[in-house]
Amino acid sequence: CPDYSAGCGVDMRRRWSGIFAAASAITPFFLGISVASISAGTIRIAGGTVEGGFIHPWLHPFGLAVGAFTTSLFALLAAVYLVNEATSVDLRREFSRRAVGAGIASGVAAFAALALIPDSAASFRSALLHSWWSVPVHGGTALAGLLCLILIS
């Protein structure tokens, strides 16, 4: 009953809502871990086979921080869209509160990920922090995030 048809009971609706919520959190988390692992160089392929084991190359502090960052960004995006779609003032207020929480979590996770960039990702760190475009992009992103949170509050 994912379409919430008339024949779908409350228990079934709860079950589908739980599945959707879990998938909505797991997907961006593992996307972030994948991006971080590739950036950090922990995923290596030799002769068509992944080296380094099955779990260790993926689950490291930098990967977990980027996973948390990506998940909080997705939550922020969803909450901001839902603020616009809400049909009641109370619902709009609730989604606005969640957007602010997700925005704060995004900021904390971004700084955690930055602090946890491993030495194996020195070229990534250098490009992220010392390129000519670094200051304008990071400043513009921070300004856009703050403006978004101000406008929905």
Side-chain angles (χ1 to χ4, degrees):
C1 292
D3 64 349
Y4 297 110
S5 59
C8 191
V10 173
D11 289 338
M12 188 61 75
R13 288 182 184 164
R14 267 195 209 122
R15 185 174 301 141
W16 279 109
S17 292
I19 290 169
F20 182 77
S24 295
I26 290 169
T27 302
F29 184 71
F30 284 111
L31 173 67
I33 286 177
S34 298
V35 169
S37 296
I38 292 167
S39 300
T42 60
I43 305 299
R44 292 184 198 88
I45 300 175
T49 306
V50 176
E51 292 182 335
F54 185 69
I55 302 287
H56 177 69
W58 300 96
L59 297 182
H60 47 86
F62 177 59
L64 296 174
V66 174
F69 177 56
T70 307
T71 303
S72 63
L73 285 176
F74 276 53
L76 172 62
L77 181 63
V80 168
Y81 280 130
L82 289 170
V83 166
N84 186 50
E85 295 292 322
T87 55
S88 72
V89 173
D90 289 338
L91 198 53
R92 186 170 285 133
R93 228 180 263 128
E94 176 62 21
F95 287 128
S96 178
R97 185 185 63 77
R98 290 180 184 202
V100 170
I104 291 168
S106 295
V108 169
F111 283 109
L114 184 63
L116 292 171
I117 296 175
D119 292 336
S120 62
S123 62
F124 175 72
R125 182 189 308 118
S126 178
L128 187 65
L129 298 176
H130 304 297
S131 295
W132 64 268
W133 49 264
S134 296
V135 172
V137 168
H138 296 311
T141 302
L143 184 62
L146 286 173
L147 184 62
C148 171
L149 294 176
I150 289 168
L151 289 175
I152 64 167
S153 294

